[in-house]
Short mmCIF file of all heavy atoms in Angstrom, two decimals:
data_model
loop_
_atom_site.label_atom_id
_atom_site.label_comp_id
_atom_site.label_asym_id
_atom_site.label_seq_id
_atom_site.Cartn_x
_atom_site.Cartn_y
_atom_site.Cartn_z
N TYR A 12 -11.84 29.74 -7.18
CA TYR A 12 -12.17 31.06 -6.63
C TYR A 12 -13.56 31.04 -6.02
O TYR A 12 -14.46 30.34 -6.47
CB TYR A 12 -12.11 32.12 -7.72
CG TYR A 12 -10.75 32.78 -7.90
CD1 TYR A 12 -10.23 32.98 -9.17
CD2 TYR A 12 -10.02 33.23 -6.81
CE1 TYR A 12 -8.99 33.60 -9.35
CE2 TYR A 12 -8.79 33.84 -6.97
CZ TYR A 12 -8.27 34.02 -8.25
OH TYR A 12 -7.06 34.63 -8.41
N HIS A 41 -4.72 1.80 -1.74
CA HIS A 41 -3.73 2.78 -1.30
C HIS A 41 -4.33 3.75 -0.28
O HIS A 41 -5.54 3.97 -0.24
CB HIS A 41 -3.18 3.56 -2.49
CG HIS A 41 -2.51 2.70 -3.52
ND1 HIS A 41 -1.44 1.89 -3.22
CD2 HIS A 41 -2.77 2.50 -4.85
CE1 HIS A 41 -1.06 1.24 -4.31
NE2 HIS A 41 -1.86 1.59 -5.30
N ALA A 114 15.56 34.09 4.97
CA ALA A 114 16.44 33.51 3.94
C ALA A 114 16.91 34.55 2.93
O ALA A 114 17.65 34.22 1.99
CB ALA A 114 15.70 32.39 3.21
N ASP A 277 -7.53 19.15 12.45
CA ASP A 277 -8.12 19.90 13.56
C ASP A 277 -9.62 19.68 13.67
O ASP A 277 -10.20 19.82 14.75
CB ASP A 277 -7.83 21.40 13.39
CG ASP A 277 -6.37 21.74 13.61
OD1 ASP A 277 -5.62 20.87 14.10
OD2 ASP A 277 -5.97 22.88 13.29
N ASP A 398 -26.93 3.06 -24.55
CA ASP A 398 -26.91 1.95 -25.50
C ASP A 398 -25.92 0.85 -25.14
O ASP A 398 -26.16 -0.32 -25.43
CB ASP A 398 -26.58 2.47 -26.91
CG ASP A 398 -27.70 3.30 -27.50
OD1 ASP A 398 -28.81 3.28 -26.94
OD2 ASP A 398 -27.47 3.99 -28.52
N GLU A 557 -35.12 17.73 -25.67
CA GLU A 557 -34.35 18.18 -24.51
C GLU A 557 -33.08 18.89 -24.95
O GLU A 557 -32.73 19.95 -24.43
CB GLU A 557 -34.00 16.98 -23.62
CG GLU A 557 -35.18 16.43 -22.84
CD GLU A 557 -34.81 15.16 -22.08
OE1 GLU A 557 -34.02 14.35 -22.62
OE2 GLU A 557 -35.32 14.97 -20.96
#
Side-chain angles (χ1 to χ4, degrees):
Y12 270 135
H41 300 302
D277 290 349
D398 290 347
E557 287 174 323

